[in-house]
Amino acid sequence: MSGTLTRNPPKAVLWGKLVWHPAVRAWNAFTGDAPEPERLEVLRKGTKAATYRLVGAGPGGESIIAQRSPAARAVIERAVNEDILSRLALTAPRYHGYSEDGRDFVWLFYEDVGDEHFCETDPAHPVLAARWVGSLHAGAAGIAAARNLPDRGPPWYLDHLRVGRDAIRANRHNPALLLADTTMLAHLVVDLDALEAAWSGIERACTGIPATLTHGDIQRKNMYVRSAARGGGAELFFIDWEMAGWGVPAPDLTLVDLPTYVSAVRPSWPGVRLEDVQRLAAVGRIFRQVAGIRWVSPALAHPDAQCLIRPMAWLRVLHERLVAALHELGALT
């Protein structure tokens, strides 16, 4: 397979007696008889969520991924793993289950699928992703549990647009911002205003594929590739389903090979055309940028100029991508 598979090193590695660590304690309590891990790798660590690899702690000596999440955020993740993915013939990290950590947090336990990420420049990976995503969309459309997930249609992303724009308006005169920053933010607000005014056109563009389960956050960090045993080819695994919901699956189309996706869904949806999928992929790029703007923009309130460098860099990139996606959609409609 061509291309380069990328690996993210752990943020920290712990050795020695690890029974004191909350992730190890939670896994031991869940299983009742787990081997002591050889080491613990900190994969992500935030104030409200964290992910750890417990190397060698599985019943067969395999590694376990232990993820601590706010209980409210874990509801969707649990529903997808317990009620939907288990009913589809798709590669997915084995979900061992969950345990409560007080009233406000839970631990989720998964199979470790390695640390090799999807590589967009490898021509085989977008094809692999297209088959996986197409099977997900077509298969989940008929599962009742998927319809009970939160709405992820155009109104969800319009709310992202409005919340993000309001945060920019509230903070664009932060004295810690440079003049060039405030100018860029003013242009971004103008473009978001124009997008909101034209939102009915975005909604009209969301046709051609039935509503279904959408992952909603398909990006490289949530996509893992693993070589199958006995030379059977590569397998793809998606993680982090907390943004999943029911709606137009446009955001899931931005990294997949679109002709392959059409071939994958046509047995279930014979009316789907390539031009529909191309238009929805452009809509998906718009959705992804407005969602990104919503998540980044609150950081503009920070009073330290050094702490504004990164969010401003992200907002510039998101703005450029948004403009490009709008031009792409205009060319397709």
Side-chain angles (χ1 to χ4, degrees), residues 11 18 58 106 108 152-153 194 243 245 257 261 279 291:
K11 297 185 180 301
L18 296 168
V106 299
L108 304 167
R152 292 294 186 258
M243 303 305 299
D257 181 76
Y261 176 87
R279 184 183 66 252

Side-chain angles (χ1 to χ4, degrees), residues 2-192:
S2 61
T4 302
L5 293 173
T6 55
R7 300 173 182 266
N8 288 339
K11 297 185 180 301
V13 180
L14 305 181
W15 302 82
K17 291 291 184 180
L18 296 168
V19 292
W20 59 270
H21 194 279
V24 178
R25 290 205 310 265
W27 174 242
N28 287 342
F30 177 77
T31 62
D33 185 26
E36 185 173 346
E38 300 170 15
R39 65 182 184 275
L40 182 146
E41 298 179 358
V42 181
L43 303 181
R44 287 188 294 180
K45 184 69 180 293
T47 56
K48 294 185 178 179
T51 305
Y52 306 94
R53 175 182 285 126
L54 311 183
V55 178
E62 71 277 17
S63 297
I64 297 295
I65 299 298
Q67 178 180 316
R68 185 175 187 264
S69 299
R73 280 171 48 184
V75 169
I76 297 174
E77 186 100 22
R78 286 182 53 202
V80 171
N81 281 281
E82 295 170 6
D83 304 325
I84 302 172
L85 292 181
S86 60
R87 300 179 57 185
L88 298 173
L90 291 169
T91 53
R94 180 186 174 190
Y95 171 65
H96 292 282
Y98 79 101
S99 66
E100 296 179 351
D101 184 6
R103 292 189 306 172
D104 299 327
F105 291 88
V106 299
W107 286 97
L108 304 167
F109 303 107
Y110 297 96
E111 170 194 9
D112 177 24
V113 294
D115 56 7
E116 296 181 347
H117 281 286
F118 173 91
C119 180
E120 195 172 352
T121 59
D122 186 327
H125 286 191
V127 172
L128 184 65
R131 295 194 186 105
W132 199 101
V133 172
S135 297
L136 172 76
H137 290 168
I143 297 177
R147 297 174 180 268
N148 295 328
L149 294 173
D151 175 48
R152 292 294 186 258
W156 165 257
Y157 292 96
L158 180 58
D159 181 66
H160 277 322
L161 184 156
R162 289 168 172 163
V163 173
R165 182 188 56 198
D166 289 348
I168 294 170
R169 282 177 172 160
N171 296 299
R172 67 181 180 181
H173 297 301
N174 181 344
L177 289 167
L178 300 174
L179 177 60
D181 295 336
T182 59
T183 300
M184 190 282 289
L185 293 174
H187 290 316
L188 177 53
V189 167
V190 169
D191 286 341
L192 291 174

Side-chain angles (χ1 to χ4, degrees), residues 189-272:
V189 167
V190 169
D191 286 341
L192 291 174
D193 286 342
L195 178 56
E196 181 183 26
W199 199 256
S200 60
I202 298 294
E203 293 176 335
R204 288 193 299 271
C206 292
T207 59
I209 299 180
T212 186
L213 168 67
T214 176
H215 181 285
D217 194 21
I218 288 183
Q219 53 181 310
R220 190 188 69 85
K221 72 181 182 69
N222 292 332
M223 304 165 71
Y224 287 79
V225 176
R226 184 174 69 184
S227 297
R230 302 183 183 89
E235 297 175 322
L236 189 66
F237 298 86
F238 285 78
I239 66 167
D240 285 356
W241 291 85
E242 66 183 44
M243 303 305 299
W246 179 263
V248 58
D252 291 357
L253 301 177
T254 59
L255 291 180
V256 308
D257 181 76
L258 299 181
T260 302
Y261 176 87
V262 172
S263 298
V265 302
R266 273 228 174 111
S268 299
W269 300 332
V272 171

